[in-house]
Amino acid sequence: MKLFIAGLSTETNSFSPLPTGMISFQEGSIHHGDATRDAVQYWTGPLHIWRDRAEANGWAVVESLSAHAQPAGPTVRAVYEGFRDEIVKDLRAAGGADVILLALHGAMIAEGYDDCEGDLIAACRRIAPDAVIGGLLDPHCHLTELMLEAATLLVAFKEYPHVDIEDRARDLFALAADAALGLTRPVMRDWDCRMILAMPTPAGPMRGFVDAMSARERREGVLSLSIAHGFPWGDHPRAGARALAICDGDADQAAAEAARLGRALYDLRHELNVSIPGIAAALDQAEAEPRGPVVLADMSDNAGGGAPADATFLLRAMIDRGITSAAMGLFYDPGAVRICREAGEGATLDLRLGGKHGPMSGDPLDLTVTVRRCASGLTQRFGTLPAPMGEAVWITTAQGIDIVINDIRTQTFHPEAFTQLGIDLATRRYVCVKSSNHYQAGFNPIAARVIPVATPGAITPDFANIPFTRRARDYYPAVEDPLS
C-alpha cells in the first residue's frame, strides 16, 4: 500500500475585511513535505497520525504540502492555485497512491473558487481514479456536491469545541484502510437540515445528540456519521447544517441514515436557538454574579471565524462602567505589540489600541498603560495540540484592566494564554475572551459563570439576518419551519 498525505485549510468569512494571502499561511503553518519531521502542531496533528499508522502497517508514505491559515476573507487566487498545484504535482510524481488522506477545512473559498476543497479533491481524483480518497473536515464546512462526488470518505470532527481532531483522524485512517483492503465499500449520502445555528457540544441538547450519533456508528453497516454544522459567515449556496452518513455498500441505507440523523438535529432547533445578551445586558449579569471569575465571550470578534480580533466595543463599555479586576485577550494589534516591546517591561506610556481594521473593529482606544510582561514563542492549547501566539505582551490600563495583545491573529482557546504571562485569573473578577465557543473547553472549568456576549463585529450571532447574497433564505431561523 502507498499512502499520500497532505493538508490545506482555512475557513473563509465572506464578510471579513481581511484577505487571506501568503503571509497568512506563513504566519499559520506551511510545510513542503516535511510537516511530520517537526513537532506536532494543531495544524499538522492529523498528518503525524496518518504517517504513524501507515508505517506501522508497513505502507509506503508520500508526504506533500501542509498549509494552513487563520480564518479571514477569501484566499488570494494565485495562493490557492499554487498550493493546489503543488499537491497535484507531488501526487503525479508519486505515480498516484492507493490511499490519499487530506487534512482540510471544508469552508475555504478563494477568488474564482467557491469550493476549494472540492476542486482539490477532484484534481487528486483525476490523477488517481481508483484511489481511496479521504478528507478530514471541520464541522463548520459547506459539504458540497463536488466534495461528496470526488471523495470516497469524508469525516468531520464531532465536537465543538474541536477537542476530538486526533480521534477523527484515526477514524478516517481506519475507514480508508478497510476500504483500500476491500473489507468495506463506503457509500456517502447527505441530508440538508435547513438550519443555521451555533451548536456547541459540551452540554445541553448537542451533548446527548453527539453521544447517540457516536453510538450508532459501526452498527448494522453504518461506517461513519457526521454533522456539518456549516459556516454561517461563508456566503455559499450550501451554507448550513447537513447530516452525512457513510454506509457499507448500501446507498439507500446511507440516505436513510442521513435523513434520520438530520431530522433528529432539526427537531432540536428551538432548543439550540438560544438568546445571547448584548453588551449592556451581559455586563449587568456579570456584575450581579457574586463570585468570580465571570468569563465573558466577545463572540463577534473571534479570529477563528475570520474577525479582526481588535474590536474595542466590549472593552470600551467596561471602561465606561469603571470596571476593574478584569483580564481581556487575545487582542490582535501588531503595532501596539511593537511599541510595548520597544518601551520594555515596566514602562508606562500612552497607547492607541485596536479599532484598526474597519467599522467592525470599532474606534481605537487611547489608553495609558503599563507594560507588565513581554514574551515570545508562547503557545496555547486547542484540545491537546499547541496553537502559536507569536509575540505577546501583557499590559495593564490605568483603570486596572489587564489586556493581552499579540501579533498573530488567533482566538483565545485556553487560560494559559493569560497565565503563561503571569496573570492569575483566579484573582480577577472578570475574564473576557475573544472567541465564540472554543474557549469553553479550557475556561468552563475555572469559571464561576460563562456569559456569551452578542457584541457588534464581523461574526455577530444574528443567524436570521446574515447578509447572504448567494444562499437562499430558506433556513431556520430565517424561516420558522423550512421543512414544512
Side-chain angles (χ1 to χ4, degrees):
M1 287 286 175
K2 182 194 298 180
L3 172 67
F4 181 90
I5 57 176
L8 177 60
S9 71
T10 188
E11 181 181 62
T12 300
N13 183 327
S14 302
F15 312 106
S16 173
L18 306 172
T20 303
M22 184 60 74
I23 295 172
S24 295
F25 283 93
Q26 291 169 342
E27 195 173 69
S29 174
I30 300 180
H31 291 84
H32 299 281
D34 59 354
T36 59
R37 296 180 190 173
D38 289 345
V40 177
Q41 299 176 335
Y42 159 63
W43 308 106
T44 63
L47 274 66
H48 282 264
I49 289 171
W50 295 337
R51 175 179 283 280
D52 290 346
R53 290 295 171 98
E55 291 179 344
N57 290 347
W59 296 8
V61 179
V62 178
E63 182 174 341
S64 183
L65 175 77
S66 174
H68 311 272
Q70 279 289 340
T75 299
V76 174
R77 180 174 188 141
V79 172
Y80 165 66
E81 290 179 339
F83 287 151
R84 176 202 60 193
D85 293 349
E86 180 176 342
I87 294 172
V88 169
K89 179 182 177 182
D90 288 347
L91 180 59
R92 183 179 291 112
D98 300 294
V99 177
I100 300 169
L101 296 181
L102 303 172
L104 307 171
H105 183 281
M108 181 179 181
I109 298 172
E111 297 165 345
Y113 296 89
D114 291 335
D115 176 15
C116 293
E117 290 86 356
D119 180 67
L120 174 60
I121 296 170
C124 292
R125 176 62 70 195
R126 287 190 290 271
I127 295 171
D130 299 322
V132 172
I133 302 180
L136 183 65
L137 303 176
D138 189 295
H140 298 106
C141 58
H142 298 313
L143 201 60
T144 68
E145 293 178 347
L146 182 56
M147 290 162 62
L148 290 162
E149 175 187 334
T152 312
L153 298 157
L154 296 171
V155 171
F157 317 147
K158 287 180 167 58
E159 302 291 347
Y160 178 41
H162 307 325
V163 295
D164 62 327
I165 296 173
E166 294 168 296
D167 289 337
R168 301 292 79 79
R170 295 183 187 99
D171 287 349
L172 181 59
F173 182 90
L175 290 165
D178 286 349
L181 295 170
L183 302 177
T184 59
R185 295 182 297 115
V187 179
M188 295 192 293
R189 293 292 184 270
D190 75 317
W191 194 82
D192 186 357
C193 303
R194 300 280 283 275
M195 54 192 280
I196 296 178
L197 290 170
M199 295 182 275
T201 61
M206 286 303 292
R207 182 67 268 148
F209 180 88
V210 170
D211 290 343
M213 176 172 64
S214 299
R216 178 68 177 160
E217 289 181 326
R218 307 302 173 94
R219 295 184 180 181
E220 302 173 8
V222 177
L223 300 178
S224 176
L225 297 172
S226 297
I227 287 291
H229 298 204
F231 184 56
W233 301 278
D235 194 4
H236 190 282
R238 286 173 72 95
R242 289 179 177 268
L244 173 64
I246 308 176
C247 290
D248 189 3
D250 190 332
D252 291 339
Q253 182 190 11
E257 289 287 343
R260 180 198 61 77
L261 184 66
R263 172 62 73 171
L265 182 67
Y266 183 79
D267 289 344
L268 296 175
R269 67 192 185 281
H270 293 110
E271 294 179 65
L272 293 169
N273 189 22
V274 298
S275 178
I276 300 172
I279 292 176
L283 291 179
D284 287 344
Q285 293 177 25
E287 291 182 308
E289 180 64 35
R291 298 178 300 114
V294 177
V295 174
L296 294 151
D298 189 352
M299 298 182 67
S300 303
D301 198 33
N302 171 22
D310 74 334
T312 57
F313 301 106
L314 181 57
L315 178 57
R316 180 181 292 277
M318 295 173 67
I319 291 173
D320 289 345
R321 285 199 182 209
I323 287 175
T324 61
S325 187
M328 174 176 283
L330 292 168
F331 222 107
Y332 174 64
D333 195 329
V337 168
R338 168 66 184 270
I339 291 170
C340 290
R341 293 180 65 226
E342 199 85 72
E345 294 181 2
T348 297
L349 67 153
D350 294 328
L351 184 70
R352 174 161 285 192
L353 182 67
K356 294 183 172 65
H357 290 97
M360 289 181 286
S361 296
D363 296 325
L365 288 175
D366 292 311
L367 307 170
T368 299
V369 304
T370 299
V371 180
R372 303 289 298 279
R373 175 82 188 279
C374 301
S376 302
L378 299 182
T379 63
Q380 54 171 335
R381 273 173 286 175
F382 180 25
T384 61
L385 302 174
M389 293 170 52
E391 300 289 343
V393 176
W394 166 20
I395 59 175
T396 302
T397 70
Q399 182 175 317
I401 297 177
D402 297 302
I403 304 170
V404 177
I405 57 177
N406 69 328
D407 67 350
I408 290 183
R409 193 172 55 89
T410 181
Q411 66 180 293
T412 316
F413 291 118
H414 195 275
E416 62 196 9
F418 297 94
T419 58
Q420 289 179 104
L421 287 161
I423 301 173
D424 182 0
L425 297 182
T427 65
R428 300 310 191 270
R429 185 77 175 77
Y430 311 99
V431 179
C432 304
V433 296
K434 288 184 176 291
S435 178
S436 298
N437 187 64
H438 287 315
Y439 69 91
Q440 291 196 46
F443 284 88
N444 283 3
I446 71 164
R449 182 177 180 183
V450 173
I451 304 175
V453 189
T455 50
I459 56 169
T460 180
D462 183 5
F463 300 110
N465 295 298
I466 297 171
F468 291 121
T469 62
R470 306 193 61 235
R471 206 272 184 232
R473 293 183 59 78
D474 59 350
Y475 65 90
Y476 178 83
V479 176
E480 173 58 30
D481 188 6
L483 292 181
S484 63

